[in-house]
Amino acid sequence: MRSMKRHEQTVAGTREVVQLVRGQATSDGDGVRLTRVIGGRALGELDPFLLLDEFGSDSAADYIGGFPSHPHRGFETVTYMLEGRMRHRDNQGNEGLLVAGSVQWMTAGRGIIHSEMPEQEAGRMRGFQLWVNLPAKDKMTAPRYQDIAPERIPLARTAGGAEVRVIAGEHIDADGTATRGPVSGIAIDPLYFDVSLSKGARFEHALAADHNAFLYVFEGQAQVGDRATAVVRGDLAVLAPGDRVRVTAPAAAARFILVAGAPLGEPVVKYGPFVMNTRAQIVQAVDDYSSGRFT
Ligand code: FE
């Protein structure tokens, strides 16, 4: 009873910014230049989120190498393409083209081997890849893909002047209008919105009080929370506990992704593309992969 009361006291209210994180420039795959925002030195992990990369370049040299064949086990990769085209192929014969505005939510589960290669030799490539952890009970589940075409991602226009692409979770406007994203059946009950604010617009929305949440501003600048913390392009804001989020754009237009999910509270042992709960499971993953058991 007492703990419940304390719980309510600590989580009600607007989420404020507890940490601002700048991504670090790095490269991955075959020389793809990107910015690692989660999964680097500044923010190693935000349970259940293991990694967030932003990629974006007009120069083919920065992305043309792509991500040749590599494995994953124990988590999910979420690719959101803003511009450009990427071809996906895996060792089970699955293939798909990720076009601008599309999302691929891939549950690697017990293991896939895939490649992610640009389907263009020039022009702009831009987007995000997020790694979402799986609970221990689901780490060896069968692989699953949700390939979502741009037209399947609904757009909610709010009374506050925000435009919200609802990728996962449910957007509920001030008048009660609900817009549900197409991603389904994900363990951490994710919310993934792409929010555009024109100058002077505001975005307010409920968030599950027990979920971890962040937003990442990738265009312009915004102010977050009742304290109006400034968050500029390239900043990731880790949000404090609370049951709603409030973002305004008084100085300039802003665009950001808002992501939330239920923390797992389980041990995380990472080794490159394998994310398990124990070292023994990592040794097993390496052995399974090198013995050709990712089938
Ligand atoms: Fe991959």
Side-chain angles (χ1 to χ4, degrees):
M1 211 46 205
R2 199 165 57 216
S3 70
M4 196 164 179
K5 190 175 175 193
R6 189 162 62 234
H7 184 72
E8 285 169 2
Q9 282 173 344
T10 53
V11 299
T14 303
R15 287 173 177 253
E16 302 294 342
V17 176
V18 282
Q19 187 182 359
L20 279 176
V21 177
R22 295 294 293 184
Q24 62 197 85
T26 184
S27 71
D28 208 337
D30 188 6
V32 178
R33 292 171 63 112
L34 47 80
T35 302
R36 183 144 296 159
V37 192
I38 301 176
R41 281 187 296 275
L43 181 62
E45 189 193 332
L46 182 65
D47 185 14
F49 306 109
L50 302 162
L51 175 143
L52 176 69
D53 284 343
E54 179 186 28
F55 50 93
S57 179
D58 296 314
S59 169
D62 290 341
Y63 60 75
I64 201 72
F67 300 87
S69 185
H70 60 278
H72 294 286
R73 174 181 278 183
F75 62 102
E76 309 183 276
T77 66
V78 182
T79 306
Y80 180 27
M81 295 295 293
L82 294 169
E83 295 177 70
R85 292 159 18 119
M86 193 96 83
R87 171 128 349 232
H88 169 265
R89 285 192 182 90
D90 79 5
N91 60 325
Q92 299 177 15
N94 297 299
E95 182 171 344
L97 184 64
L98 283 66
V99 300
S102 71
V103 171
Q104 182 190 65
W105 199 296
M106 183 190 82
T107 305
R110 64 176 173 251
I112 58 111
I113 303 168
H114 75 162
S115 61
E116 301 153 284
M117 301 298 290
E119 185 104 332
Q120 64 191 43
E121 292 175 355
R124 190 154 174 76
M125 173 82 77
R126 184 162 80 126
F128 298 100
Q129 189 169 87
L130 176 71
W131 288 12
V132 177
N133 207 358
L134 282 168
K137 67 178 177 55
D138 293 339
K139 282 191 176 289
M140 295 298 279
T141 193
R144 177 188 178 207
Y145 290 93
Q146 297 184 59
D147 281 319
I148 296 156
E151 58 271 19
R152 286 185 55 214
I153 299 174
L155 178 67
R157 288 192 171 84
T158 75
E163 291 193 346
V164 184
R165 287 172 181 80
V166 184
I167 294 166
E170 191 170 49
H171 179 273
I172 300 176
D173 204 352
D175 67 2
T177 306
T179 305
R180 172 156 283 283
V183 173
S184 67
I186 301 300
I188 59 132
D189 187 21
L191 178 145
Y192 194 144
F193 292 172
D194 171 358
V195 182
S196 295
L197 297 180
S198 54
K199 185 181 173 186
R202 72 177 190 282
F203 169 79
E204 294 186 60
H205 201 269
L207 279 185
D210 56 346
H211 284 194
N212 282 335
F214 68 85
L215 63 84
Y216 180 74
V217 175
F218 61 99
E219 291 177 14
Q221 58 187 87
Q223 294 187 358
V224 177
D226 292 339
R227 292 184 207 138
T229 304
V231 183
V232 304
R233 190 256 168 287
D235 278 344
L236 179 140
V238 179
L239 301 180
D243 61 4
R244 58 187 173 270
V245 63
R246 180 168 194 273
V247 185
T248 59
R255 189 172 175 193
F256 59 91
I257 53 171
L258 171 67
V259 179
L264 298 174
E266 295 175 343
V268 174
V269 184
K270 283 191 271 195
Y271 183 71
F274 310 128
V275 183
M276 303 301 289
N277 301 111
T278 68
R279 282 182 55 88
Q281 291 167 340
I282 291 292
V283 170
Q284 184 71 53
V286 172
D287 191 47
D288 285 351
Y289 175 57
S290 59
S291 307
R293 288 194 293 268
F294 274 37
T295 53

